[in-house]
Amino acid sequence: MTTNQKLWGGRFEASLEDWVEEFGASIRFDQKLAKYDILGSIAHVTMLGTTGILPADEVEQIKGGLKSLLAKHDQGQLVFDVSNEDIHMNIESLLTAEIGPVAGKLHTARSRNDQVATDMHLYLKDKLSEVLEKLGRLQEVLVSVAEDHVETIMPGYTHLQHAQPISFGHHLMAYYSMFKRDSERFAFNQKHADLSPLGAAALAGTTFPIDRQETSDLMGFESLYRNSLDAVSDRDFILEFLSNGSLLMMHMSRLCEEIISWCSHEYQFVTLSDTFSTGSSIMPQKKNPDMAELIRGKTGRVYGNLFGLLTVMKSLPLAYNKDLQEDKEGMFDTAETITVAIDILAGMLSSMTVNTAKMAKSTEQDFSNATELADYLADKGLPFRQAHEIVGKLVLECSKAGHFLQDVSLEDYQAISPLIEQDIYDVLASKTAVQRRQSIGGTGFDQVRWQISLAKEDLAQGVKQ
Ligand code: ARG
């Protein structure tokens, strides 16, 4: 009888102290993998039966036990114990309690190293589908709000200064394009998540006549790892997820930052619905865009998860090292953060009120039509540099006088250049300025409608996973 009761206790004469055991254990967080661990074990034991490694009756007993654990898990009835270290040994110990010592045969031709990698792949495959579905919905919301606001005029900014008027729909469609690229990246991520590591065993494969293709097929994997060392030590699929999640959060954070500004008293471009806003405990008038701020804030932890794992991986020799246990919390956290953040953002966008008059008005008391005047002169043959100079001077004069380009009389315009005629006032109107930008991908209404129609085609097709 060994003095160490662990599943691996045979060669030990003493046990870990509780606090040391606690440090090494992952059950507190890897219990999220329970379902995948059981499903992977069902595939493994099925294969041990078909290959004749285990007799049919034992396979049935083990499978029956695993299925009963799965049912208990679905009802939230599995109780884990830190002394069993991780999810794999907890499940094995629960299986032993369920069916007796035959449970010990399940681990034939397998190691926790290929087992944990398998669980992580199965988990991420599911999460990627969920993320893609949610991202599709967010893109639909953007397209639908953009469609309602093709002709809503807002100031377009560079350096956060009014630059040229644009369509609010166009502005939103820029975010659509970012989220489309995010979807494509997550879809590509599936290719590397959809590989079965099972059968790599500890690191070198096994002498048992296992059938890796069978377990891979049973678990629904597209393909399998070709190298057993790579299979147990690869975490690229997780790093890709953390990196794709970081880019997605960065995009969401940029949009949230704009929403936060847009609801400020200075802008008043949008009003968030009460269902996505909070109040202040001291200032009764406050309505704060907390959810947008939180998405912006949570971007930090998602970046942190990426850097955490990149750093864990950077000096790891092949093959499995316990450091790899640190791959989990960041992955779960990123998965949970991005899925809820996507939903919050979609809800916030679809329920906000766009103050169209306020947006349009802010392009009427500024110089964001200065390019129109310069282009007008260039169109009439004046070299653009000269036109730029003339308009620049006029802007300076107007700002000193406290009025705008549209307030300059035709007489004064003609004194500046005889090329300027009555039609200049129409050209200077923000709506005309937007409408006329018909270069491909420009903010012209027809161009925005074109983007929207392509987006709808994309969304109807869905991203190929
Ligand atoms: N809990 C471990 C992890 O998450 C499982 C694999 C342990 N393997 C081992 N040889 N210690 O990485």
Side-chain angles (χ1 to χ4, degrees), residues 26 30 86 88 112-113 116 320 325 328:
S26 51
D30 69 7
D86 59 21
H88 324 295
R112 274 187 294 155
N113 299 349
V116 70
Y320 181 84
Q325 185 165 288
K328 290 176 192 59

